[in-house]
Amino acid sequence: METDIKTAKLMIDLYCRDHHSSINGPCRKCSNLFDYVEKRIEKCQFKENKPRCSKCPAHCYNQDMREHIRAVMKYSGPRMLYRHPILTVKHYLTNK
């Protein structure tokens, strides 16, 4: 779960830097998104056996946040391989 939180933070930071020209950390909207994601991951009913959110049978994100995190993942996902290759490979190998 810690790796999921770290990965989400890096993806949100990358997205925000490239879309919102945030130099000194994420903007307010992206900071709120990260806080929301962190709370959702920590309260996940599957805990350590948590599947990827896209494969999860229980959708715990509200519609607005789900759309925002999808946009972040769609943009940041392919770029994470170049920016954080070890974390990206580890994420794909350990998550179901």
Side-chain angles (χ1 to χ4, degrees), residues 16-61:
C16 190
R17 183 174 53 245
D18 292 354
H19 283 83
H20 304 141
S21 302
S22 297
I23 298 170
N24 299 324
C27 68
R28 181 179 303 257
K29 183 176 180 183
C30 290
S31 290
N32 290 341
L33 174 64
F34 175 70
D35 292 342
Y36 183 81
V37 168
E38 186 176 34
K39 287 176 189 169
R40 299 283 56 179
I41 291 172
E42 288 173 354
K43 292 183 182 211
C44 180
Q45 63 183 342
F46 299 105
K47 301 292 179 200
E48 295 301 324
N49 296 319
K50 180 181 140 358
R52 286 191 191 152
C53 292
S54 61
K55 305 274 186 202
C56 188
H59 297 290
C60 58
Y61 286 38

Side-chain angles (χ1 to χ4, degrees), residues 56-92:
C56 188
H59 297 290
C60 58
Y61 286 38
N62 70 40
Q63 187 63 33
D64 291 339
M65 292 297 193
R66 191 178 313 152
E67 288 177 20
H68 193 184
I69 196 66
R70 277 185 187 153
V72 167
M73 289 182 185
K74 184 176 180 179
Y75 178 81
S76 299
R79 289 159 180 83
M80 287 291 288
L81 186 57
Y82 299 107
R83 304 263 176 126
H84 303 282
I86 295 171
L87 182 65
T88 303
V89 170
K90 186 177 176 182
H91 176 75
Y92 281 103

